[in-house]
Structures are given as structure tokens and as C-alpha cells.
Amino acid sequence: MTNNNYVRIFDTTLRDGEQSPGATMTSAEKLEVAHNLARLGVDIIEAGFPAASPDDLEAVRRIALEVGNPAHPESEARVPVIAGLARANKPDIDKAWEAVQGAKKPRIHTFLATSPIHMKHKLKMDPEEVIQRVSEMVTYAKSLCADVEFSPEDAGRSEPEFLYVVLGEAIKAGATTLNIPDTVGYTTPDEFYALIDGIIKHTPGMHDGITVSVHCHDDLGLATANTLAGIRAGARQAEVTMNGIGERAGNTSLEEVVMALKTRHPVFGLDTGIETQQLSRISKLVSNYTGIVVQPNKAIVGSNAFAHEAGIHQDGMLKHQSTYEIMRPEDVGVNQTNLVLGKHSGRAALRNRLAEMGHSLDDVELDKAFARFKDLADRKKVITDLDLEALIADEFYKPRDVYLLSGLQVTSGTMGMPTATVRLRGPDGVIHTVATIGTGPVDATYKAIDQIVSVPCTLLEFNIHAITEGIDALGEVTVRIQSESGATTMDAQSEVEYVRVYGGHGADSDIIVASAKAYINALNKLIVAQTEGKGKVPNDFGVMLG
Ligand code: KIV
Ligand code: ZN
């Protein structure tokens, strides 16, 4: 069994994270996230579940080709493995292989449940049949791909002795990574330590070429603790997601495991390849794309994670930073320099600052960012890193513009009916203008947008917050909408078809404009998903379909 001091980070934001209802990303967003995960330094990207739908397969294929191949021969060592998930059947495995084979380092990840509850009620298979199927399907996957990972689903509630047998068969059939999922977040750290320890000690055929991996869910809030316990027991791969997004209460969060290993290095004595200064930026990117807001008190990436508001803390912090801070904000990419740029800063200064923050823009992108920056600088005296992040997200991290906001005027207050006049440029280039009244300015704006776009949907969530302090702060809005007649996808494990939920994000110093942008953004995603294949609008990659 591999037992060195390096823990591989297997990121499943784009599979277990994205598959959870409500975290839908478009193909272009998935590609962008995958590029950023590669820059972050993750070792393996699980890019999706290709059997879920042709779109899912295509998104994994693009990631395999574009992110899974080195730009230059010398960067090959840093190219991540690209994994595709497959249930333990031939059609799924074929689809996973079709999707990942273009990567320099492809992996097929196949799984089958091993707990008594799952075998009896979900699979309706007896233990002997499960052993047989694992052996056959791992052998089949191995005939296609040299790198095969096997997961006994619901391992946390499986009989350890049965797991040893199943995992022994998987090794015999050619699996080189054995991933142990606590699928329903049931175990405690002591139990999970014992489970991993037992697997390492008792699985027949365990050898140095096998990596034991851990994959925990957070139903009892123990995912990070369980993952770290598994690592202490000898696991050398951790399956995680950015911001801990995932089914139900989520998966283990990447940033928590990585920063625990780094901050408590003397305790664990283990390293990862993660460039931790990228964490904050990528957390934001994933939050904007999914529409899933990061709670302010979230460890490592929450907006309060490095804020010290209580007077006693501030006093201590002023005396010495280490009194209340166990990590430096800059280690996770939260920059302390607040006063960054102002009205008189030029293009070069903006380019430099953005590069320091991890955004390398080409000339055309820089032109767009500079125009937005100047516009904001006219309205806001100092522009901070947080403002710049929001501006970049608003300008670049958004779906293809099917509808584009080209004008907005609202009246509101106690003296009359809140009214919004909205002007949108449609996919055919035609400008549509509609005026409506509503219960408030956002309601009126959304009603006007609905009249123009005419796609029935339900607004599930609307969040607004100020990015920085002060009356001239940028407002940031995230929304989540669900189509009333929408595209569905299939969950890999429950095999349930569910209607996708789309997130949208917008930022502006005018909060009604930010609200309109966020809603249009989400609607654009929904429209792209619904019309893909019908030749009406360009897909995420700018290709006319049909
Ligand atoms: O939680 C789980 O069991 C999974 C497997 C497919 C690895 O996500
Ligand atoms: Zn999972």
C-alpha cells in the first residue's frame, strides 16, 4: 500500500458536488472550474458522471482534452488525472472511458454498494453477486484503462470483513485505488480510523501500488474529522469538494482538509500539492457558478473566517497577529491590503493587481475589465481586491449571454407603485423593452424580465450582500431558479431523475442592476440547457447547434 508523506487531493466538485440538486453548472463553467482546479494543484479531477446525459459526457470529454493534457511537455508532471464515474455496468464504464480517454492520465472510477441495507433494498443483490459483479466490472474497466478506482458505496455501514473480500477482488481485478466512502455521513472519527486501519491490514493482496482513499459526507458535520482520521490511519487520497458542496449536507471540503494538514503539519507530517493562496478565489468562483452561497462563518473561505470584530480579539490582534489567528489570511489568498486601486490607476496597475490575485487576462479581457474598473472608480473612491474579484466574476464568470441587460430604470418608495422598465438584447440581436409594476423594485424588474424572456421558472432563492463596507459598496446578488418544464439529469447513486436548478450571479454598485444581472444570468443558463440540440442558440462553447 502506498504509504508516503504525500496526500493526493481528488476533487469531486464537478461530480459529487455538481450532481447534488441545485449546484448545476453549464459545460463552459465546468471547464473553467476544471482549469482552476488544475491551477490549484489538485492531483485528480473527477470531471463528472458521463452516463447521466450526453451533455455530461461531452463536458467530461472537453475537460479531459483541454485540462487533462499538458500545455507544454515540461508541465506534464503537473497535469491532473481526469476521472469519470461509472456504475458497475458495461454501458456506464464504456461512457466513462469514451469521456476520459482523451486525457493524458485518464481514470475510470466505478462503484457498487456493499452495505446490507444497500445490497438488499437498492441493488436487490446478494453478497455473492456483489463480489462477482465487482470482479467482472473492475476487470472490464481495466481492459480499457490502466488506472481504475473502485468504491464500495456505503462502506461506512458495511461489514468490515465483507469489505476486505470485495476490496481483495477489486485488487485482483486490477484496481489501483480503493476509495472508502462514508456515503451517508454516519461514522465517527474513531470508527472511520478503525475501518481504514482494518482495510489496510486485512485486505488480501494489499500492496505498495495500491492507494487507499477516503470519501466522506457531512451529515453529522464530521466529514473533515473523518477524512483526517482516515488519513491518519494510512489513506493517501482524500476525495473532497470546494466549499464542501455535495449531496445533502455536502462532501468533505477541500480547503478544510488541506489547511488542517498544512497548519497542523507537526501533527500529521503530511503534504499536499495544493497552492493554498488560490483557495479563496476558487471558492468564490464555485459559489458564483453554482449559486450556492458560502456561509459567512465557513472555515477557511467564509467571509468572517479572518474577521476579528469582537473588541477583545481586535486588541489581541493589534498586539500580535498570532494571538487569534492560526493561519495567515494571505496563505489562503485573502489579501489584507485593502486600499488597492483608485480613479487614477492605469491599465498596467490593474493588470498587475489582477495577476497578483491569480487572474491572467488577455488584452481583450483586460480592456473589458478596465472599462468596468473605470466605471466603478467613478462611483467608488477606493477599489479593493474584493471589488475586483466581484467585477471579474461579473464580467467573465458567467454563462453565454443569450439575453443581455442593456437598460434598466426603476422607481420605488412609499409614494407610488414600484415600477421597472427593462431593456434586454435578445439572442436575435433585437432589443425588447417592457415596463411593469411589482411589490418592490426587484419584483417589478423580475416581472419585466419574465415577460421578455418568457421561460416559466420558479425563483427558489435570492441572496444579496455588500461586498465591502461603506455606503458606496458593490452589491452582490446570487439567485437560484428552477425550470417549470426543465432539463433533468440523473443522480449516479440514487438513480433518481431530478430537475436541474440553475444559479446566477451579478455584481454592481446599484443593487437592482446586480439583481437583474443575477436573474438574467440564471435564465441564460436555463435557456442554453433547454435549447441545446434544438439549434436555437449557441451552446456554451460558442458552437451553433442543430
Ligand atoms: O458517496 C459515495 O458513496 C460516492 C461514491 C460514488 C464514491 O459518491
Ligand atoms: Zn459521495
Side-chain angles (χ1 to χ4, degrees), residues 71-84:
H72 309 288
E74 64 275 18
S75 57
E76 187 173 325
R78 294 296 297 155
V79 164
V81 171
I82 306 294

Side-chain angles (χ1 to χ4, degrees), residues 15-16 46 85 109 111 149 151-155 179 181-184 215 217 239 251 492-493:
R15 199 280 297 172
D16 223 355
E46 186 163 53
L85 184 73
H109 175 194
F111 71 98
E149 169 170 334
S151 296
E153 190 192 3
D154 203 16
N179 175 50
D182 181 20
T183 304
V184 290
H215 174 120
H217 282 261
E239 300 203 354
N251 286 59
Q493 289 155 271

Side-chain angles (χ1 to χ4, degrees), residues 171-199:
I171 293 177
K172 238 197 275 171
T176 44
T177 302
L178 301 176
N179 175 50
I180 313 303
D182 181 20
T183 304
V184 290
Y186 182 70
T187 60
T188 64
D190 287 350
E191 286 169 350
F192 203 60
Y193 179 99
L195 182 67
I196 301 300
D197 187 51
I199 285 169

